């Protein structure tokens, strides 16, 4: 029986995890709660309404690592891209990576993973129940493994207590 792997998130890590599973003869299903791939590189004007409250690049982000150092090892950035690039070019690169390795057909967009739990027979099968929600439609599926690619910047960290007087500010300027 071919092993089924659930991959949570279709950002930089989720995309390459799909590819890795395929190379190992595993059957990946990737769940992404937003409507596109790219994770935090997908710029959204309003984080509250479209960013699911997660950290996203702001408008002026330019990469801070050279393109030779930050590309996937088997998929260099195009020759004509600058060494340090705007976030829109990173998105373009991720889309071409997904297209080149034919990864899109394994991705379920607008699908949130709600829970991952060990099955009753976990000690013998090692299997997981994965509950998803696709625009109100709940589904449960059984997987042999789960890869959590939800990003280490998933929840914005706002150390507001470090800024005395912050609570007296009525409007917080946004970095857009
Ligand atoms: C401002 C900023 C600038 C950065 N600049 C650079 C840089 O120049 N170079 C560099 O190499 N790195 C940079 N990084 C680091 C960045 O974290 C990585 O480049 C990369 O985006 C991490 O990818 P990821 O797939 O791990 O996570 P993410 O991109 O965060 O993707 C996680 C995905 O999981 C999805 N998800 C989360 N929970 C669920 C759920 N329950 N169900 C379904 N889907 C879910 C999210 O919607 C998202 O699409 C930067 C980070 C920030 C914040
Ligand atoms: C690049 O920026 C990210 C996000 O701000 C940060 O986590 C990382 O340490 C930075 N890397 C370098 C080499 O400065």
């Amino acid at each position: 029986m071919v092993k089924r792997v659930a991959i949570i998130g279709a950002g930089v890590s989720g995309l390459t995890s799909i590819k890795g599973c395929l190379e190992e003869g595993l059957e990946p299903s990737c769940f992404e709660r937003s409507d596109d791939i790219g994770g935090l590189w997908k710029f959204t004007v309003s984080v509250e309404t479209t960013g699911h409250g997660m950290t996203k690049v702001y408008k002026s982000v330019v990469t801070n690592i050279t393109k030779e150092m930050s590309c996937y090892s088997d998929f260099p950035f195009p020759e004509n891209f600058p060494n340090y690039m705007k976030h829109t070019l990173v998105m373009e690169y991720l889309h071409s990576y997904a297209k080149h390795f034919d990864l899109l057909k394994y991705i379920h967009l607008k699908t949130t993973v709600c829970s991952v739990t060990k099955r009753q027979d976990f000690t013998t099968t090692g299997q997981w129940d994965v509950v998803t929600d696709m625009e109100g439609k709940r589904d449960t599926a059984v997987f042999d493994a789960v890869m959590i690619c939800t990003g280490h910047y998933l929840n914005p960290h706002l150390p507001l207590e470090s800024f005395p007087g912050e609570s007296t500010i009525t409007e917080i300027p946004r970095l857009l």
Side-chain angles (χ1 to χ4, degrees):
M1 266 285 274
V2 66
K3 298 268 185 209
R4 300 187 66 215
V5 182
I7 296 165
I8 313 175
V12 171
S13 314
L15 291 174
T16 203
S17 297
I18 302 172
K19 178 173 173 284
C21 283
L22 294 170
E23 284 168 357
E24 297 297 325
L26 305 165
E27 190 184 302
S29 291
C30 177
F31 303 104
E32 168 54 53
R33 65 182 178 179
S34 71
D35 62 0
D36 200 357
I37 64 167
L40 63 73
W41 290 101
K42 171 79 184 192
F43 175 72
T44 45
V45 181
S46 167
V47 170
E48 284 77 16
T49 55
T50 48
H52 301 273
M54 74 171 275
T55 308
K56 289 277 184 180
V57 288
Y58 42 91
K59 209 172 176 180
S60 58
V61 165
V62 172
T63 58
N64 59 0
I65 303 165
T66 60
K67 70 173 186 177
E68 288 80 9
M69 291 295 288
S70 53
C71 65
Y72 291 116
S73 58
D74 55 358
F75 197 73
F77 278 103
E79 203 56 38
N80 63 326
F81 278 25
N83 210 0
Y84 296 94
M85 67 194 81
K86 239 202 119 167
H87 61 84
T88 43
L89 288 182
V90 178
M91 265 308 277
E92 198 177 312
Y93 168 77
L94 294 176
H95 271 286
S96 60
Y97 179 81
K99 199 167 164 229
H100 180 79
F101 293 107
D102 203 11
L103 307 178
L104 292 174
K105 62 183 179 205
Y106 302 98
I107 304 172
H108 306 269
L109 295 175
K110 295 185 188 169
T111 307
T112 302
V113 172
C114 310
S115 71
V116 175
T117 44
K118 287 178 180 171
R119 303 205 82 209
Q120 223 137 49
D121 56 5
F122 182 83
T123 45
T124 49
T125 63
Q127 288 182 324
W128 306 85
D129 275 325
V130 176
V131 178
T132 53
D133 182 299
M134 196 243 220
E135 296 182 307
K137 197 177 150 279
R138 287 243 160 183
D139 200 13
T140 305
V142 179
F143 288 94
D144 298 292
V146 179
M147 297 175 84
I148 299 171
C149 304
T150 53
H152 61 308
Y153 293 120
L154 184 63
N155 299 312
H157 174 55
L158 302 170
L160 297 179
E161 66 285 356
S162 306
F163 297 88
E166 190 279 331
S167 62
T168 62
I169 300 171
T170 48
E171 199 173 303
I172 302 170
R174 314 198 120 267
L175 287 171
L176 285 179

